[in-house]
Amino acid sequence: MKIFHRSRTLQNPNFLTKPRKFCNSSNKISTEDEEKDDGFVTILREIVRGKQSWKISFNNTFISQRLKPRHVEKVLIQTLDDPRLALRFFNFLVQSNLYWPASSVLQTLLLRGLNPRENKRVLDAVTIVKLMRQRNLLPEVRTFSAILNGLVRIRRFDMVLDMFDEIVKSGIHPDIYIYTAVVRGFCELKNFVRAKEMIYQMETNGSDLSVVTYNALIHGLCKNQRVLEAVEIKNLLSSRELKADVVTYCTLVLGLCKVEEIEIAVKLMDEMLKLGLVPSEAASSSLVESLRRKGKIIEAFTLVDKLGQFGIIPNLFAYNALINSLCKNGKLGEAESLFSKMRERGLFPNEVSYSILIDSFSKNGKLDSALLLLHQMGEEHIRATVYPYNSLISGYCKLGKLNEAEKLFEEMINKGLSPTVMTYTTLISGYCREENLDKAFKLYREMSEKNIPPNTHTFTALIGGLCRAKMMVEAGKLFNEMLEQNVIPNEVTYNVMIDGHCKVGNTVRAFELLDEMVEKGLVPDTYTYRPLISGLCLTGRVSEAREFVDDLHKENHKLNEICFTELLHGLCKEGKLRDAFSACKEMMERGLSIDLICYGVLICGVLKQRDIVNLSRLLEEMYKRGFKPDNVIYTSMLDSFCKLGDLNEAFRVWDKMVDDGCIPNVVTYTVLINGLCKAGFVDKAELLCKEMLAANSIPNQVTYGCFLDNLTKEGHMEKAVELHKVMLSGFLANTVTYNILIRGFCKLGRTQEASELLVEMIDNGVSPDCISHSTLIYEHCKSGDLQEAFKLWNLMLSKGLKPDRLAYNFLIYGCCVNGELTKAFELRDEMMRKGVEPNMVTYNSLIHGTCLINSFSFSGG
């Protein structure tokens, strides 16, 4: 296959045959003559550098009779420190018809005196050639080669081609270096047709062939992204009895990587290594990086390992990039191995290398390893920047280890590193997740003091913390402050606000925020729609939630399984099982699959309705689709059957759970223990608790609370108190467990002991809640001690506790049965002002109180 052809004949292809004078200085002299020459050259040099006339000096017979070409050569060489002077002297010789000696020195001038980095000297050489041509003199071939390569180096490719035409016109047969320079010139001018013609000319006129010329063409093609053509030329070298060298292969590998022909590049790299050729660092690094960018991380890792066996080391950038990709792909072991091998191969990790690994270890919770690397940096005198500290602080914050994060924060400041907005935002986000808003806002104020402007992520973290604390008024103020500081909220900011408003039942404001974010060009997603669907269901507007989902579907908004699960939960909660099953059918029609969570919601729904038929159907369907009930589903089933009092069915579910390999957790055990206790099987509950301990499942407050509740209901208060003391010693006592005891003592009329528990709670660092106070208030109201009841009421209010409907109803009842009807109605008005809606119990108490007053008045009349 021939890839070269001629479009037109080159000028003078057979070369000129006219007589020519070539520069030549091959005369040999003896040592004695050479010593005499040195003295004579010294005289000549002083004349050239002196102020006397060159014309007079060289017309002197002492000079003119002894002057030989070798003398002129030496003078010119010794004058090259002053290029202008050397050129003036050369011109003088030519203009004085002393061109024969002058022509003999041209080669020396070009080859020994020209610095290729100095454009002026190359152009001076071209001028000299022109002067010689005027005198009918021709430089040697090697001189033309030197000039052409000089012109190539200074990127005067137009002059390369002009001079080549001069060479051809002069009848000189170009050598391999001339051809190579011309091919490169054509390639740089993107004239690949002429470049190929030039090589064809070489191949057909008997010139010596060299891979160097072909490499020039291959380089030009690769540079212009015609890499596959370049590969074809490389494949034809063997038919020219040439072998591709390391330059050929490396040029092709680099070119193939640039056009993302990675598979061919890998084949050529393997071929090169098999031939024993050592690829350059650039080619090795480029291929490793290309494999990495294509996601072929293991192939890149394997290549680095293979290159290492040949003693080839990709550059530090390639190593760092590959380590980074391995980390991002979860290949921490391989990344660490590569990091370790760097030193073995003479390449030392830098701050970037360490930062990449520290960040990856931190994100994967391997903070001990990350911290070890940070200390290693110090030992190797590599100064850590703020970035590895940020990574570690983020890692500790995600694990809730804020104390360790704070220590690192202080350490970096002590080392003279300035925290960035990311440092502060990470800590703020951590404290918000731990519901420590005071600390989070303290850091926020500190940012302002240090002139570190908060960004979108900072505000979003703080707003999220306020929303989780249901402080929506404060969240709204901070949102407005964010806008005032020209910090633009993103989708996450709006999603957090929408979720917060939905959780407190303010769906009106949530939908206003949805409209606002759309107006600003932000795109809502499933994280936006899920809380809106949940919020509508939470406020009893399930039908509206269903309509909202249908509208989103009509507008081609994609919802995921989580959004539909929220709708299913709302429908099941309201007992609309038929609608829930219909929604499942729509899910599947819209390309969504029912997952285990969806099944869990449906099963909870049918259990609530005691629909055993649909329960069996759902379980059967689950197994057919390859699902098995998880802990949540089994626990829901156990809880339902226990509440129905069907312990036989509950234990049948328990056995099935164990057979399925689903290990019961503390919640599962507690549900069954609670069922046994309520059914009066306390002995069996105790045996199950022992089994729980044997299974390394530690009972919690709720577990012990089941036994505590049973003891108080049975009136065994002394045993209950003893159990509670054990719970206190294990830090398991809480407000709920104390409330169980208070209720037990009140039930037995032991109000004084119940009141003493309020004091004990505070002493043990447990805060009484509304139930703690209202239980005692009710007992005082029943016994007619309204004064003590109101005393407790005021104590509760002074602690910032907000009475609920039950608390109001207890006190209203007490006022009514004790003849304080006016106070009862005042309490009714107060509860309404505070947003607590009265119910039938409230009004029944008021009616009963009114009837009592009327009855008393009637009997008195």
Side-chain angles (χ1 to χ4, degrees):
M1 175 181 175
K2 290 187 177 180
I3 62 167
F4 304 119
H5 58 86
R6 288 181 288 180
S7 60
R8 66 180 180 87
T9 307
L10 290 170
Q11 292 179 323
N12 302 315
N14 296 318
F15 305 112
L16 298 175
T17 56
K18 66 179 182 178
R20 293 159 294 171
K21 297 180 190 175
F22 288 98
C23 297
N24 195 349
S25 62
S26 58
N27 298 334
K28 294 183 179 179
I29 60 172
S30 65
T31 306
E32 185 181 345
D33 289 339
E34 190 172 348
E35 291 174 357
K36 291 179 181 178
D37 277 353
D38 289 341
F40 185 63
V41 168
T42 302
I43 295 169
L44 293 175
R45 188 180 69 243
E46 289 175 356
I47 292 170
V48 172
R49 291 183 179 273
K51 295 182 179 181
Q52 63 264 47
S53 168
W54 289 350
K55 187 174 182 180
I56 295 170
S57 298
F58 278 89
N59 280 331
N60 186 300
T61 55
F62 175 77
I63 299 294
S64 60
Q65 290 177 3
R66 288 174 174 77
L67 188 63
K68 303 294 181 186
R70 65 177 183 273
H71 301 141
V72 178
E73 276 189 36
K74 289 182 178 179
V75 171
L76 280 170
I77 290 168
Q78 293 176 18
T79 318
L80 286 177
D81 60 324
D82 188 346
R84 291 183 179 277
L85 179 63
L87 186 59
R88 277 178 52 222
F89 180 51
F90 183 89
N91 288 335
F92 162 74
L93 294 172
V94 174
Q95 291 166 7
S96 304
N97 290 323
L98 295 169
Y99 55 85
W100 171 245
S103 64
S104 70
V105 302
L106 178 62
Q107 182 65 32
T108 303
L109 176 65
L110 289 172
L111 296 184
R112 298 178 64 178
L114 288 180
N115 184 340
R117 288 171 293 182
E118 296 183 23
N119 299 3
K120 183 70 172 62
R121 290 194 178 186
V122 177
L123 298 177
D124 286 346
V126 174
T127 303
I128 293 170
V129 170
K130 288 179 180 178
L131 286 170
M132 292 182 68
R133 292 289 292 128
Q134 290 172 11
R135 298 290 177 174
N136 201 26
L137 294 172
L138 283 178
E140 296 177 14
V141 173
R142 62 195 180 105
T143 306
F144 276 117
S145 295
I147 295 172
L148 287 174
N149 280 290
L151 290 169
V152 165
R153 282 192 292 268
I154 67 171
R155 305 188 65 78
R156 290 301 305 268
F157 304 110
D158 53 335
M159 294 182 72
V160 169
L161 302 182
D162 289 343
M163 181 157 285
F164 181 73
D165 286 341
E166 284 293 322
I167 292 168
V168 174
K169 286 177 185 177
S170 302
I172 296 175
H173 193 293
D175 65 4
I176 193 66
Y177 304 106
I178 292 175
Y179 277 120
T180 301
V182 175
V183 167
R184 185 176 172 189
F186 279 126
C187 287
E188 291 292 341
L189 294 170
K190 299 182 181 181
N191 191 342
F192 296 105
V193 173
R194 290 296 307 277
K196 290 178 181 180
E197 282 179 0
M198 193 58 54
I199 288 182
Y200 180 77
Q201 180 70 29
M202 282 177 58
E203 293 174 338
T204 55
N205 68 13
S207 297
D208 292 333
L209 300 181
S210 168
V211 71
V212 176
T213 316
Y214 290 91
N215 284 347
L217 178 58
I218 287 169
H219 179 269
L221 290 167
C222 288
K223 189 176 178 180
N224 287 274
Q225 299 186 345
R226 296 169 66 167
V227 189
L228 297 180
E229 286 182 57
V231 172
E232 190 178 354
I233 290 168
K234 174 259 172 193
N235 291 337
L236 288 170
L237 287 175
S238 58
S239 65
R240 272 66 171 172
E241 297 183 354
L242 295 172
K243 290 182 180 180
D245 62 9
V246 68
V247 176
T248 319
Y249 280 106
C250 289
T251 303
L252 286 170
V253 168
L254 286 165
L256 288 163
C257 289
K258 283 181 182 176
V259 297
E260 299 185 357
E261 290 286 351
I262 310 302
E263 289 182 8
I264 303 174
V266 170
K267 286 179 182 177
L268 285 176
M269 179 63 77
D270 289 340
E271 188 179 312
M272 179 167 34
L273 293 172
K274 285 176 184 177
L275 291 170
L277 299 174
V278 179
S280 65
E281 180 190 293
S284 304
S285 301
S286 180
L287 184 52
V288 169
E289 177 65 4
S290 296
L291 285 166
R292 184 192 70 81
R293 289 190 180 186
K294 279 285 185 180
K296 298 184 176 184
I297 309 303
I298 299 302
E299 290 89 337
F301 179 74
T302 304
L303 177 60
V304 168
D305 197 52
K306 188 187 293 184
L307 290 169
Q309 294 170 16
F310 284 85
I312 305 156
I313 308 165
N315 61 28
L316 190 56
F317 172 82
Y319 259 99
N320 286 345
L322 181 54
I323 288 170
N324 188 42
S325 290
L326 286 166
C327 290
K328 285 183 178 177
N329 282 269
K331 308 285 184 183
L332 287 183
E334 288 87 342
E336 201 170 3
S337 170
L338 197 63
F339 180 81
S340 300
K341 287 179 180 178
M342 287 173 73
R343 282 190 182 82
E344 295 173 13
R345 293 170 181 175
L347 199 63
F348 293 95
N350 61 2
E351 187 270 325
V352 176
S353 318
Y354 276 103
S355 294
I356 290 167
L357 271 181
I358 288 170
D359 184 62
S360 186
F361 280 131
S362 298
K363 284 177 179 175
N364 286 274
K366 297 184 176 182
L367 294 166
D368 289 341
S369 299
L371 205 57
L372 194 64
L373 284 170
L374 184 68
H375 293 151
Q376 194 174 316
M377 287 180 75
E379 290 170 2
E380 295 185 5
H381 305 291
I382 299 173
R383 188 175 185 273
T385 63
V386 70
Y387 301 108
Y389 276 99
N390 282 349
S391 299
L392 278 161
I393 288 169
S394 177
Y396 279 117
C397 286
K398 283 178 182 176
L399 293 178
K401 297 182 177 181
L402 276 302
N403 288 335
E404 286 83 350
E406 192 79 38
K407 286 176 186 175
L408 281 167
F409 179 70
E410 291 170 3
E411 181 183 310
M412 65 180 285
I413 292 172
N414 291 335
K415 287 187 176 181
L417 297 172
S418 299
T420 63
V421 64
M422 183 181 174
T423 320
Y424 276 104
T425 301
T426 301
L427 282 167
I428 286 169
S429 182
Y431 281 115
C432 285
R433 279 196 297 268
E434 294 296 313
E435 298 181 6
N436 191 343
L437 293 178
D438 290 339
K439 188 67 175 177
F441 276 94
K442 182 184 175 184
L443 287 167
Y444 172 62
R445 289 189 291 272
E446 189 177 303
M447 288 178 73
S448 300
E449 291 167 6
K450 292 185 176 180
N451 294 318
I452 300 172
N455 60 18
T456 302
H457 303 292
T458 318
F459 278 108
T460 301
L462 287 165
I463 290 168
L466 292 168
C467 289
R468 278 190 289 273
K470 297 184 179 180
M471 299 169 67
M472 296 313 299
V473 174
E474 291 82 355
K477 288 178 180 177
L478 189 60
F479 185 78
N480 292 333
E481 184 180 324
M482 179 182 185
L483 297 174
E484 287 168 7
Q485 292 189 28
N486 294 318
V487 180
I488 310 300
N490 60 14
E491 285 89 349
V492 179
T493 318
Y494 276 99
N495 289 348
V496 165
M497 287 285 288
I498 288 169
D499 185 54
H501 282 294
C502 286
K503 281 180 178 173
V504 297
N506 190 355
T507 53
V508 174
R509 178 58 184 152
F511 275 96
E512 286 174 358
L513 286 166
L514 173 65
D515 294 338
E516 187 180 306
M517 71 183 289
V518 172
E519 286 171 9
K520 290 184 176 180
L522 298 173
V523 181
D525 56 15
T526 52
Y527 293 99
T528 317
Y529 300 131
R530 183 200 59 75
L532 290 166
I533 295 165
S534 177
L536 290 169
C537 293
L538 185 69
T539 53
R541 297 153 66 189
V542 180
S543 299
E544 288 181 52
R546 182 75 184 270
E547 288 175 14
F548 179 55
V549 169
D550 290 337
D551 289 342
L552 289 171
H553 177 65
K554 288 173 186 175
E555 294 170 8
N556 295 316
H557 294 291
K558 290 186 178 180
L559 300 180
N560 60 11
E561 288 85 355
I562 298 172
C563 293
F564 273 99
T565 301
E566 292 293 344
L567 179 60
L568 292 178
H569 190 269
L571 291 167
C572 289
K573 191 177 178 182
E574 290 198 355
K576 296 179 178 179
L577 288 179
R578 185 175 295 177
D579 290 341
F581 288 127
S582 174
C584 284
K585 186 179 178 183
E586 287 177 20
M587 272 179 72
M588 290 186 285
E589 288 172 355
R590 292 171 185 178
L592 295 172
S593 57
I594 300 177
D595 59 13
L596 196 60
I597 298 172
C598 291
Y599 276 113
V601 170
L602 290 170
I603 286 170
C604 283
V606 298
L607 287 170
K608 188 178 178 183
Q609 297 294 313
R610 301 181 182 181
D611 188 346
I612 305 302
V613 175
N614 270 319
L615 173 63
S616 300
R617 183 182 66 79
L618 282 169
L619 288 170
E620 185 180 346
E621 186 181 308
M622 278 179 67
Y623 280 109
K624 281 182 180 178
R625 293 192 177 184
F627 292 113
K628 284 185 179 181
D630 61 2
N631 252 311
V632 176
I633 294 174
Y634 273 120
T635 303
S636 298
M637 291 167 66
L638 283 169
D639 186 50
S640 180
F641 288 120
C642 284
K643 285 176 179 175
L644 288 171
D646 192 347
L647 289 176
N648 288 329
E649 187 62 25
F651 274 101
R652 191 191 68 77
V653 171
W654 176 273
D655 292 338
K656 177 65 175 170
M657 178 181 184
V658 174
D659 290 342
D660 273 351
C662 186
I663 300 169
N665 60 19
V666 62
V667 180
T668 318
Y669 275 107
T670 301
V671 163
L672 197 51
I673 287 168
N674 186 49
L676 289 166
C677 286
K678 286 185 175 177
F681 299 108
V682 181
D683 293 342
K684 288 186 178 180
E686 288 176 356
L687 286 172
L688 191 62
C689 188
K690 289 177 182 177
E691 183 185 317
M692 178 182 181
L693 288 165
N696 291 321
S697 188
I698 308 301
N700 59 16
Q701 296 101 323
V702 182
T703 317
Y704 285 113
C706 296
F707 293 103
L708 195 67
D709 185 59
N710 177 264
L711 288 169
T712 56
K713 283 180 179 178
E714 294 294 324
H716 304 307
M717 293 308 300
E718 284 70 25
K719 287 185 178 180
V721 170
E722 286 301 315
L723 176 61
H724 197 260
K725 285 179 180 177
V726 173
M727 293 176 70
L728 269 172
S729 64
F731 302 101
L732 293 172
N734 59 16
T735 305
V736 175
T737 59
Y738 268 107
N739 287 346
I740 292 170
L741 286 177
I742 290 168
R743 186 191 64 200
F745 279 120
C746 287
K747 186 180 177 182
L748 296 174
R750 296 161 66 175
T751 312
Q752 181 59 37
E753 289 168 274
S755 298
E756 288 171 0
L757 284 172
L758 277 181
V759 179
E760 184 186 311
M761 285 176 78
I762 296 167
D763 290 342
N764 287 321
V766 180
S767 300
D769 62 3
C770 184
I771 296 172
S772 314
H773 290 87
S774 58
T775 303
L776 277 164
I777 287 168
Y778 179 64
E779 288 303 313
H780 288 304
C781 288
K782 276 202 310 181
S783 62
D785 192 351
L786 270 184
Q787 185 178 354
E788 192 62 31
F790 271 102
K791 185 178 176 182
L792 275 171
W793 180 267
N794 292 329
L795 177 65
M796 180 171 68
L797 295 177
S798 69
K799 290 180 178 177
L801 295 171
K802 295 180 180 179
D804 57 11
R805 184 188 289 123
L806 187 65
Y808 273 110
N809 283 347
F810 282 160
L811 197 55
I812 287 170
Y813 165 78
C815 290
C816 288
V817 296
N818 287 285
E820 294 288 345
L821 193 61
T822 303
K823 188 64 180 174
F825 275 99
E826 286 176 0
L827 285 167
R828 190 278 314 265
D829 294 341
E830 181 187 308
M831 70 186 289
M832 291 179 71
R833 282 197 308 273
K834 292 186 176 180
V836 182
E837 288 293 324
N839 61 3
M840 286 301 297
V841 176
T842 318
Y843 289 111
N844 284 340
S845 295
L846 291 168
I847 291 167
H848 180 66
T850 304
C851 291
L852 284 175
I853 292 292
N854 290 336
S855 174
F856 178 78
S857 299
F858 180 75
S859 62

